[in-house]
């Protein structure tokens, strides 16, 4: 990621909130939030309901997870492709990034990386371990081994393992909403800058906005000066 000091939100080659790269970011994020919303009816009694969790509800969650784990490999491949599309959008916006890209898109990329890490460590791994137990590969085992980056290997009951999975869904939802908030913040910052620019023009104040060729010429001149 290289910061271009000559690029602003008014530059012609600026990739801001209205660019196609932003769509490549917002689309996957909203898709993942939709998946998490579909899991909310299963997660709510485990984390937010004051009533005790019934064995029937635990059985329903286990059936749901077994169904997800038994899905064809094409489903997981499509999911990972959509994750890659989000990264493509970030890398596109951060190529020769402006200060706005560096702040808003860089922060969004950091949150997206956190979400990917939570997905790998706290969703995929526990789901595989729980599905193995439910499928009878660990007959007679009443606990699930959960390996954390700080706690190490810990034995959890089925209900505790389901709570960990539900809490991970909640963390993912907050992190992905943070990505949308930063992208919305970028749109608002661009809107305010355009309004300020229009006000400067209306007052007759000189405002310099360089095109692509002018920016390249300025970079060449600055490079020669450095030599």
């Amino acid at each position: 990621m290289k910061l271009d000091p000559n690029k602003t939100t008014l530059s012609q080659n600026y990739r801001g909130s209205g660019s196609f790269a932003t769509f490549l970011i917002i689309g996957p994020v909203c898709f993942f939030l939709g998946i998490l919303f579909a899991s909310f009816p299963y997660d709510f009694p485990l984390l937010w309901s004051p009533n005790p969790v019934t064995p029937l509800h635990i059985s329903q969650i286990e059936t749901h997870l077994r169904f997800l784990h038994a899905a064809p490999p094409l489903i997981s491949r499509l999911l990972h492709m959509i994750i890659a599309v989000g990264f493509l959008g970030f890398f596109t916006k951060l190529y020769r990034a402006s200060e706005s890209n560096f702040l808003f898109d860089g922060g969004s990329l950091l949150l997206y990386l956190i979400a990917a890490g939570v997905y790998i460590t706290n969703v995929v791994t526990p789901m595989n371990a729980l599905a193995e137990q439910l499928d009878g590969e660990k007959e007679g085992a009443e606990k699930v081994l959960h390996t954390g980056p700080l706690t190490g290997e810990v034995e959890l009951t089925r209900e505790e393992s389901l709570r960990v999975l539900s809490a991970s869904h909640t963390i993912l939802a907050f992190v992905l909403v943070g990505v949308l908030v930063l992208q919305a913040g970028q749109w608002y910052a661009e809107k305010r800058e355009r309004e300020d620019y229009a006000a400067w023009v209306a007052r007759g104040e000189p405002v310099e906005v360089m095109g692509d060729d002018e920016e390249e010429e300025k970079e060449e001149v600055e490079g020669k000066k450095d030599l």
Side-chain angles (χ1 to χ4, degrees), residues 83-103:
I83 294 175
V85 168
F87 280 112
L88 177 62
F90 282 116
F91 295 148
T92 302
K93 293 187 72 175
L94 290 172
Y95 174 72
R96 295 185 62 182
S98 67
E99 185 177 358
S100 174
N101 294 131
F102 185 78
L103 294 175

Side-chain angles (χ1 to χ4, degrees), residues 1 4 6-7 15 32 65 67 74 123 142 150 178 185 205 210:
M1 182 175 62
D4 188 350
N6 300 321
K7 183 183 291 186
R15 289 177 290 273
F32 299 138
L65 293 177
F67 178 78
L74 177 63
V123 175
E142 297 181 356
L150 299 178
E205 298 180 3
M210 294 184 296

Side-chain angles (χ1 to χ4, degrees), residues 2-71:
K2 181 180 179 182
L3 181 63
D4 188 350
N6 300 321
K7 183 183 291 186
T8 66
T9 58
L10 300 176
S11 300
Q12 295 180 1
N13 62 343
Y14 169 69
R15 289 177 290 273
S17 59
S19 63
F20 182 72
T22 302
F23 170 75
L24 296 180
I25 296 171
I26 294 179
V29 169
C30 292
F31 176 78
F32 299 138
L33 285 174
I35 295 177
L36 295 173
F37 181 76
S39 300
F40 188 68
Y42 299 98
D43 299 335
F44 180 81
L46 290 171
L47 297 178
W48 312 107
S49 177
N51 301 323
V53 182
T54 62
L56 176 61
H57 185 74
I58 293 179
S59 177
Q60 291 174 343
I61 298 176
E62 291 175 346
T63 302
H64 173 68
L65 293 177
R66 186 186 293 111
F67 178 78
L68 291 178
H69 188 264

